[in-house]
Amino acid sequence: MHAPSDLITTAATLTDGSNLKDWILLVAGNLLIAAIAVRAVRHFLKEDWGGMITMCVAVVFVGGFVWFPDQTKALFGLVWDKVREA
């Protein structure tokens, strides 16, 4: 069993912030996805198909950054390099 001071020392250890960044990205991203999904449902109920499709595409992009941030960043880096080369 650990002493309370060991627990506090372990919890207070400084990190590089990557765990906090991942947590914030996940929570904020999921909230943003939920908000976009609600807007997509509103567009569906108003039969605004263009708006609904736009919201669905937005969910795909936001989901990519939330659940696969490194892969999405690499993908957009490759796309940007192709645009820059042209």
Side-chain angles (χ1 to χ4, degrees):
M1 184 163 202
H2 296 288
S5 62
D6 292 339
L7 182 61
I8 292 170
T9 304
T10 303
T13 304
L14 294 176
T15 65
D16 63 355
S18 62
N19 291 337
L20 180 62
K21 177 196 74 149
D22 293 341
W23 183 83
I24 289 173
L25 185 63
L26 189 64
V27 170
N30 283 328
L31 288 174
L32 183 59
I33 287 172
I36 293 172
V38 167
R39 289 187 61 161
V41 169
R42 284 187 196 159
H43 287 296
F44 175 76
L45 293 174
K46 289 193 285 184
E47 295 184 3
D48 178 13
W49 308 119
M52 186 185 73
I53 291 171
T54 302
M55 292 297 112
C56 290
V57 170
V59 165
V60 169
F61 279 109
V62 172
F65 278 109
V66 170
W67 295 308
F68 309 107
D70 296 330
Q71 294 88 343
T72 306
K73 183 178 174 185
L75 175 69
F76 279 114
L78 291 172
V79 170
W80 178 250
D81 288 341
K82 292 293 182 187
V83 169
R84 202 175 48 186
E85 289 173 3

